[in-house]
Amino acid sequence: MSLRIYTGEYLISPALLHFGGNWCTHGCAYCFANLNKPDRVSEPNDIARVLKWFDTGSTAMEFELLKMGHPILMSNDSDPCAKSNAAIHRCIVEALSPLGVRFAYQTRGGVPEEEQRIIDQAPTMVYVSLTTDDEMVRQRHEPGAPPHAQRMQFIRRLREAGHMVVIGLNPFVPKWWGDVDACFEQLAGWGVTHVWHQAMHLSRWQISAMSEKARAKHSDLIDYASKKVAPDAKDYAAALDRIEAMGFNLFSGGVSNKLGFWDEWFDRLGYPWSPTVDALVRDCDLAAGGQPLAIDLAEFNAWADIGLKRPRAIWKEFLNGFGRSVRNAGEDTRAHSQAEANAFIWRFDEFPTRFRHACFARVLYDDAHAADLDGVPLMAVSKDGFAEWEVGHSDVTFLNHPLERKCDGREPLCSTEEQRQVQHAQGPDGPQAQRPVLAEVPRHLAESGAAEAAPPQA
Ligand code: SF4
């Protein structure tokens, strides 16, 4: 199916629906999608299927999300402005827009009519990849994609039309750039503020999927992308420091430097709630006034809830990124709800989940992990990051909770004597009657009036 639940970027991107395109004729040599699935084609029948849903109703999860107002991301595995996708892009927009379906984009630009079709849908989010300002490099490594100058004009027009534009420095290879600073000064002048950056990487499998001719042609790129430590790591960091100094919010690995990376997605574009790690870190920071905050799984589930109640087997696909680790541990990856999927993702100390990030740590109480009433470990969250993946309980804040935390049968963990007394006064059911911390925290800095207190792929 071309229209599907977008499970691969759960907690990274707020997009929950994705429409996959045909093999992408932009032909980037390093394209993970072309290398992984060179024979993929989109299914035009999916458009008829969606039309039928609107006509007759459906219980499909995709339809539930569409009805809630979630946009369809086009596309994480092919460019809607590539020649190979222009026709399907036109059809899907023309067929579904009149029904109120909205789209968000990941593109390098390309076919002018499709660029204009995107511009005409303002406002939505358009992620435009900029990879080089050197035309020779572009022709060599991205032969079917538009030149840098065309992408820049596309971005200018997107901004003039009122779109949220995210720049994808993806991949960012410093030596491919003549003057990256000048490019970002120009972008800043057009009011662009969001940058998603990622280093070049090619897996052994992807390299072996290249033809012999392609391997010979891109041998320097393969050599560069195969190194464990990038040879130009210092140049990469220095360029990003300069871009950050220009005021851009830089996003990589799930958390942005200013936090609130997706605020515009929810506030101005009006898309329904969908959790991201970036927003979680920001909300915890707000809730605890800049201090590390301890939360439990129930709080996270309440905060992250996207409102789908019907059990569905697809939730196990949200675990794909680390499912093998779960199975290697002898466990079943079955998950039928968001909460069940979240319970696996929560276990970042056992499996390489989204929470395996410097912003998250386990909470130590003596030598054990502090846990909730069900024995599920707490998680500490800090925008400044933790030096270790465990942090002492006295170094974190607990909010709104009398804090009866069972710690492997030890004394309940209470952060202050006053809270301990509250807990005792309320009895054992008291803590569970508390509302989740994060559900009470305004999601948006601007609305909360605390903006000064905490600065805020394809
Ligand atoms: S534009 Fe994106 S999808 Fe198309 S070939 Fe390049 S990396 Fe792949």
Side-chain angles (χ1 to χ4, degrees):
M1 279 196 309
S2 298
L3 176 65
R4 56 181 188 269
I5 306 298
Y6 190 34
T7 58
E9 299 269 303
Y10 178 55
L11 297 182
I12 297 294
S13 161
L16 289 173
L17 285 165
H18 174 259
F19 193 92
N22 298 307
W23 185 88
C24 183
T25 44
H26 279 354
C28 305
Y30 50 82
C31 174
F32 73 91
N34 278 359
L35 291 171
N36 289 351
K37 264 192 167 182
D39 53 354
R40 68 193 186 285
V41 289
S42 66
E43 294 178 33
N45 284 346
D46 274 9
I47 300 175
R49 192 164 57 100
V50 178
L51 289 172
K52 194 170 167 196
W53 288 344
F54 276 92
D55 210 26
T56 60
S58 167
T59 56
M61 182 162 155
E62 291 92 328
F63 186 52
E64 272 195 56
L65 291 170
L66 283 176
K67 275 193 303 180
M68 291 163 83
H70 287 275
I72 299 174
L73 180 69
M74 297 187 71
S75 154
N76 186 53
D77 65 6
S78 195
D79 198 312
C81 295
K83 285 183 185 144
S84 53
N85 288 311
I88 187 81
H89 178 230
R90 174 170 57 80
C91 289
I92 190 170
V93 172
E94 286 184 351
L96 301 187
S97 290
L99 299 171
V101 174
R102 293 174 68 191
F103 300 88
Y105 287 93
Q106 290 186 188
T107 179
R108 280 161 170 70
V111 175
E113 292 78 10
E114 302 322 304
E115 288 187 0
Q116 188 60 49
R117 206 177 307 285
I118 295 173
I119 289 168
D120 290 344
Q121 294 173 51
T124 188
M125 189 281 298
V126 187
Y127 167 112
V128 184
S129 289
L130 296 176
T131 43
T132 175
D133 56 358
D134 182 332
E135 185 56 5
M136 300 279 283
V137 174
R138 200 276 307 163
Q139 285 177 9
R140 182 149 179 244
H141 297 305
E142 302 177 348
H148 179 71
Q150 181 179 335
R151 299 187 208 184
M152 289 295 280
Q153 287 314 306
F154 181 39
I155 292 167
R156 180 183 60 75
R157 293 166 63 220
L158 286 165
R159 286 295 303 146
E160 284 171 1
H163 284 286
M164 171 189 178
V165 173
V166 175
I167 300 300
L169 262 181
N170 188 4
F172 181 38
V173 182
K175 68 181 177 184
W176 283 4
W177 285 86
D179 194 343
V180 72
D181 294 26
C183 172
F184 277 84
E185 276 162 17
Q186 180 79 80
L187 293 167
W190 295 335
V192 179
T193 50
H194 293 64
V195 181
W196 179 318
H197 65 93
Q198 196 159 323
M200 167 79 80
H201 179 71
L202 283 172
S203 69
R204 261 184 299 175
W205 193 93
Q206 286 161 339
I207 294 167
S208 69
M210 288 178 162
S211 67
E212 214 168 299
K213 199 171 151 198
R215 275 202 294 273
K217 183 178 172 187
H218 303 292
S219 58
D220 56 336
L221 186 150
I222 292 170
D223 185 49
Y224 174 87
S226 309
K227 289 200 163 50
K228 278 209 168 124
V229 179
D232 54 359
K234 280 189 183 158
D235 296 337
Y236 188 114
L240 288 170
D241 283 348
R242 295 194 302 275
I243 293 168
E244 184 178 359
M246 291 181 212
F248 286 90
N249 194 4
L250 304 180
F251 184 95
S252 185
V255 181
S256 62
N257 62 325
K258 292 184 177 181
L259 303 179
F261 193 84
W262 300 108
D263 282 359
E264 216 177 320
W265 174 281
F266 302 108
D267 297 346
R268 191 164 70 82
L269 305 181
Y271 293 133
W273 171 241
S274 154
T276 62
V277 166
D278 185 71
L280 178 67
V281 174
R282 191 272 313 279
D283 284 3
C284 288
D285 187 62
L286 259 177
Q291 299 302 308
L293 177 69
I295 60 172
D296 63 31
L297 179 58
E299 289 170 309
F300 173 66
N301 281 333
W303 174 87
D305 186 9
I306 57 174
L308 292 177
K309 301 300 173 213
R310 197 189 307 266
R312 288 188 167 95
I314 193 172
W315 282 105
K316 79 171 189 191
E317 292 181 29
F318 285 72
L319 314 180
N320 279 352
F322 60 95
R324 188 187 299 177
S325 304
V326 178
R327 289 188 292 277
N328 286 346
E331 290 190 50
D332 198 325
T333 51
R334 245 177 298 184
H336 292 92
S337 66
Q338 187 184 10
E340 286 179 11
N342 288 344
F344 281 104
I345 296 167
W346 191 257
R347 294 164 63 184
F348 66 90
D349 40 353
E350 299 170 74
F351 312 124
T353 79
R354 295 291 187 216
F355 290 136
R356 195 168 278 189
H357 186 285
C359 289
F360 306 104
R362 287 287 177 241
V363 180
L364 273 177
Y365 181 69
D366 290 344
D367 295 329
H369 288 165
D372 66 15
L373 294 169
D374 297 320
V376 179
L378 307 186
M379 184 168 77
V381 186
S382 167
K383 78 172 192 308
D384 298 324
F386 298 102
E388 309 275 343
W389 71 278
E390 290 172 327
V391 62
H393 74 273
S394 58
D395 294 326
V396 297
T397 300
F398 298 82
L399 289 179
N400 296 351
H401 280 266
L403 297 175
E404 181 177 356
R405 309 286 194 194
K406 282 188 179 162
C407 308
D408 300 342
R410 296 160 195 261
E411 285 289 296
L413 172 59
C414 300
S415 63
T416 66
E417 184 55 33
E418 186 185 346
Q419 285 169 327
R420 185 187 290 272
Q421 285 165 6
V422 172
Q423 172 203 322
H424 285 175
Q426 287 190 337
D429 294 328
Q432 296 187 51
Q434 298 290 314
R435 274 185 39 78
V437 171
L438 294 174
E440 297 179 351
V441 175
R443 280 198 300 103
H444 309 300
L445 280 169
E447 287 172 11
S448 74
E452 289 80 18
Q457 151 207 133

